[in-house]
Amino acid sequence: MAKSTKHPFSVGDYIVYPKHGVGRVTELEVQEISGLKLELYVIRFEKERMTLRVPTGKAEVSGMRRLSNDATLKEAFTTLKGKARIKRTMWSRRAQEYEAKINSGDLVSIAEVVRDLHRGADQPEQSYSERQIYESALGRLARELAAVEDIDEAAAMVKLEKELAA
């Protein structure tokens, strides 16, 4: 199906869905629900082995977006290289803020989480929950980088780890 104002995403497009990260539109389907015909994007998230159906009319409201452009990618890499900003609030509050940034789907916000939770070899060990959030953000960043640059996730991870070590 061709792109139009009615359908900003086409079958085969890679997209970013805020709560799930990078997925691919596999089809456009019509379902009848309570007597109403509803057009849906069928999105496959390979990493999570999950399929999501999003009404075409709700795609943009839900935060579904195209992959980041080069400028956004550059901004995310600049953010990664910045100085970590750790607030002196309780971990539970910070954890909620980090999760919200990851689930926003915003690449620069996700890069902030990675930057703030990254631990160099010379730094103290992370707690289990810090590590979980860090890995979630790093994975999200790597999957979008991989899709944008058309490389595999492992290569994207190597590139990110090089940036963090620099």
Side-chain angles (χ1 to χ4, degrees):
M1 205 168 259
K3 283 184 184 114
S4 67
T5 51
K6 191 175 178 192
H7 299 298
F9 307 102
S10 299
V11 172
D13 285 355
Y14 280 100
I15 57 91
V16 176
Y17 195 82
K19 285 202 181 332
H20 305 295
V22 177
R24 189 173 207 167
V25 179
T26 57
E27 65 180 296
L28 212 54
E29 73 177 24
V30 177
Q31 279 189 0
E32 194 169 315
I33 301 170
S34 301
L36 293 171
K37 286 201 182 302
L38 197 59
E39 276 191 306
L40 304 164
Y41 289 113
V42 180
I43 304 159
R44 181 75 185 148
F45 297 90
E46 281 308 318
K47 183 76 177 173
E48 291 82 14
R49 292 187 183 93
M50 178 181 84
T51 300
L52 183 68
R53 284 172 172 74
V54 179
T56 55
K58 300 274 188 213
E60 290 187 39
V61 179
S62 71
M64 191 167 126
R65 64 171 174 81
R66 299 197 170 289
L67 292 174
S68 295
N69 58 24
D70 290 339
T72 306
L73 214 51
K74 196 176 229 169
E75 188 181 345
F77 273 101
T78 302
T79 300
L80 278 181
K81 292 178 185 168
K83 185 164 173 29
R85 293 192 185 96
I86 310 279
K87 292 182 185 156
R88 296 283 166 221
T89 54
M90 286 173 41
W91 166 247
S92 59
R93 174 79 36 94
R94 279 187 297 147
Q96 283 179 326
E97 288 174 16
Y98 290 144
E99 290 287 352
K101 283 182 176 185
I102 293 168
N103 289 332
S104 74
D106 177 63
L107 200 65
V108 177
S109 295
I110 295 168
E112 287 173 8
V113 175
V114 172
R115 174 199 67 202
D116 293 351
L117 291 178
H118 176 72
R119 295 282 185 270
D122 59 336
Q123 292 174 303
E125 200 57 37
Q126 286 174 313
S127 71
Y128 176 75
S129 56
E130 270 183 314
R131 184 95 196 134
Q132 292 294 101
I133 292 173
Y134 172 74
E135 287 176 357
S136 170
L138 188 63
R140 214 36 107 71
L141 206 53
R143 284 192 290 284
E144 187 157 356
L145 177 63
V148 168
E149 295 194 350
D150 198 22
I151 56 178
D152 67 10
E153 196 178 327
M157 198 64 89
V158 167
K159 193 170 183 174
L160 287 172
E161 284 167 355
K162 251 184 226 166
E163 288 293 323
L164 287 165

